[in-house]
Each structure stands twice: as C-alpha cells, then as structure tokens.
Amino acid sequence: MNVRLYLWQRVTAAIMAPLIVIHVVLIFYATRNGLSAADILGRTRGSVVWGLTYGVFVVCAAIHGAIG
C-alpha cells in the first residue's frame, strides 16, 4: 500500500470529520425551523466563510473518495 495515499486519506478524513458534524447540525437546524433551500441560500449567499467551509469539504471529499 502506498504510504502517501494512506496519509492523504487520513488527513482528508480528519479535516472532513468536523465539517460533516457542522453540516449535519445545520441540516437539523434548517429542517427544525422550516427553512427552505431558497431561505438557506438567501442567508449564506455571498458569505466567504460558508464558501470556504463547503469548498474545503468538497475538495477533501473528492480527494478522499478518489483514493478509495
């Protein structure tokens, strides 16, 4: 097994773990308060923080998934 790939997968998993928790908490918050997708986008559109958060999440998921 390639050690570099193993380390990349572990690092991306460590980064994604708290991001997944944040994502799930936000889903519960949004559904509990009856927010629609349009409401959520209205609140988050243009936010650099949310853009970076989900951008990092997507990049890590792509790397993690590609390694298998």
Side-chain angles (χ1 to χ4, degrees):
M1 180 175 203
N2 191 340
V3 175
R4 257 190 241 150
L5 290 178
Y6 176 80
L7 289 175
W8 270 107
Q9 192 165 37
R10 293 298 175 190
V11 168
T12 56
I15 294 170
M16 283 192 308
L19 295 176
I20 291 169
V21 171
I22 291 169
H23 181 69
V24 170
V25 167
L26 288 174
I27 289 172
F28 281 119
Y29 173 79
T31 56
R32 183 164 260 195
N33 291 324
L35 297 175
S36 68
D39 294 332
I40 294 168
L41 286 175
R43 291 180 177 198
T44 60
R45 187 163 295 181
S47 172
V48 174
V49 173
W50 285 117
L52 286 174
T53 301
Y54 280 102
V56 168
F57 181 70
V58 167
V59 169
C60 286
I63 294 169
H64 189 83
I67 294 170

